[in-house]
Amino acid sequence: MAVAIAVSDITTLARNFLKVNSSYASAEEIRLANTVNSIIGGYYHWHWNVTAGTDVTLSTTTQDNTIAAADQNKVLAIQNAYLKDGSTTLPNLLIQSDQTLPVTDTTGRPVAVSMLSPTAIRLWPLSTTAFTFKWRFFKRPTVFTANTEAYDSPDAFLEVAKAGMIWQLMDYADDDRATRWSQTFFALLEGLKKREQMTNNRMRG
């Protein structure tokens, strides 16, 4: 069972490793933890970082559709998406990840989708039916505001998060060992990425 890794727990482990006092760099703890969490979350499209998006009813008058407020500014990338017409499920949409789909006057059943902005999606071609857009997405890393919050990553990433915080605390102190711990952090991340790639058939509809 996955266990939430609290920001304070990782910082304590890193402080204990460095043998510094329990309040060392306390004013910078959230900033440093956000750096570590952001790097981990953005390093790869991890299966544990996928969440179900809120359904969107497509407009028949525009390619561009606003996503639900709860999902806005949270999408790192679309994982998978498809349309429903009543009770009929249509084939998965092609996901355009690298570029925004072009504007078009062509109409028909959409076959592709891309993010237009942090708050909207664009489909191609222009939908002639008010389909229901169903999707899942990779979530942007959480921005911590308190050390009681938990890292996005599961307990298997504890050593990675610890190495990242050790690196950050060393860098904060201008410690010459910071470079080596940066290398350790990214090596651990790369190892977990390769493990993920070996077992990545986890897409769900």
Side-chain angles (χ1 to χ4, degrees):
M1 179 178 176
V3 177
I5 308 171
V7 168
S8 59
D9 292 340
I10 291 299
T11 308
T12 296
L13 289 172
R15 285 174 177 147
N16 289 344
F17 178 86
L18 294 171
K19 296 181 174 59
V20 295
N21 66 63
S22 60
S23 62
Y24 180 76
S26 59
E28 299 296 324
E29 180 179 10
I30 301 303
R31 179 181 66 82
L32 301 180
N34 275 320
T35 297
V36 174
N37 192 54
S38 178
I39 294 171
I40 292 173
Y43 191 77
Y44 185 67
H45 288 167
W46 308 104
H47 78 276
W48 46 260
N49 205 30
V50 175
T51 189
T54 305
D55 292 354
V56 178
T57 300
L58 302 186
S59 169
T60 58
T61 59
T62 178
Q63 278 185 274
D64 306 336
N65 291 263
T66 301
I67 61 178
D71 297 332
Q72 292 181 9
N73 300 299
K74 292 184 179 179
V75 182
L76 182 64
I78 299 173
Q79 186 213 35
N80 73 311
Y82 62 93
L83 303 177
K84 289 199 76 169
D85 185 4
S87 60
T88 302
T89 298
L90 302 173
N92 282 357
L93 294 166
L94 174 67
I95 298 167
Q96 176 62 274
S97 299
D98 299 328
Q99 302 178 48
T100 302
L101 290 165
V103 174
T104 184
D105 292 325
T106 302
T107 59
R109 176 170 65 83
V111 296
V113 63
S114 68
M115 291 300 297
L116 177 66
S117 72
T119 62
I121 54 173
R122 172 173 289 171
L123 290 103
W124 192 96
L126 186 65
S127 180
T128 55
T129 302
F131 293 113
T132 299
F133 175 79
K134 301 184 77 70
W135 62 317
R136 295 173 66 80
F137 62 86
F138 296 99
K139 187 178 72 66
R140 289 184 181 277
T142 298
V143 177
F144 303 131
T145 58
N147 70 359
T148 53
E149 296 178 84
Y151 280 82
D152 294 321
S153 48
D155 52 344
F157 281 66
L158 187 147
E159 289 303 316
V160 176
K162 174 185 170 184
M165 185 53 78
I166 291 171
W167 161 42
Q168 287 297 298
L169 288 173
M170 286 182 171
D171 191 59
Y172 171 75
D174 293 325
D175 190 315
D176 290 342
R177 297 172 295 171
T179 298
R180 179 164 59 86
W181 274 94
S182 170
Q183 294 168 346
T184 298
F185 171 65
F186 283 103
L188 289 170
L189 261 183
E190 186 63 21
L192 286 167
K193 172 185 171 182
K194 290 178 179 178
R195 188 180 307 170
E196 177 90 356
Q197 290 172 329
M198 293 172 61
T199 57
N200 67 353
N201 294 321
R202 300 181 177 183
M203 291 182 66
R204 293 189 287 167

